[in-house]
Amino acid sequence: QQNNAIFAINGDYYGANQSGYVIKNGQVYRDTDRNSDYEDLAVYSDGSFKTFKESDTTAQKLVDSGVVNTFAFGPTLVENGKIAVGRAMADNPRTAIGVIEESDGSVHYIVIVSDGRTSESSGLTLYEMAELMKSYGVTTAYNLDGGGSSTMYFNGQV
């Protein structure tokens, strides 16, 4: 409300980590490898998504290739239109972002926030979130920070 936001969600975990690439609005804020088994998500200037391993590139190379924002949490849920996670994982509140790339070159984002740990909802497994994302036709979907921080704000309402 202080910033007149229309839409906001929780994001990644970069603030709690001491390492890991942080690129926001094309600016490199941190370029140390977080040495994680999970990939990061890169958002390019044309709106497209791609996941990457920090150990395979540098933050500057990402910016030079057109990356404007990165997210470090994971895992990748859907890659090239196929589910990229296994079935084992507990139900939890979850937040995920996906991209639908149309044949005309346009891109659309989808954000899903699942409540959980309540009497109304136990939450989703990573696989269930991936299935849900895939059902909307995403080409790439990525799991963001979840649990107690999973929150969506839209038009003045949580």
Side-chain angles (χ1 to χ4, degrees), residues 133-154:
M133 280 289 189
K134 187 173 182 251
S135 76
Y136 285 103
V138 302
T139 49
T140 303
Y142 190 76
N143 185 59
L144 295 170
D145 189 11
S149 63
S150 282
T151 305
M152 181 186 292
Y153 173 90
F154 182 67

Side-chain angles (χ1 to χ4, degrees), residues 1 9-10 13 16 34 39 43 45 50 71 77 84 93 107 114 126 140 143 146 156:
Q1 288 175 336
I9 58 168
N10 54 293
Y13 207 59
R34 72 181 171 133
E39 296 175 320
V43 181
S45 56
K50 186 176 179 185
F71 294 92
L77 299 170
V107 295
S114 157
L126 289 170
T140 303
N143 185 59

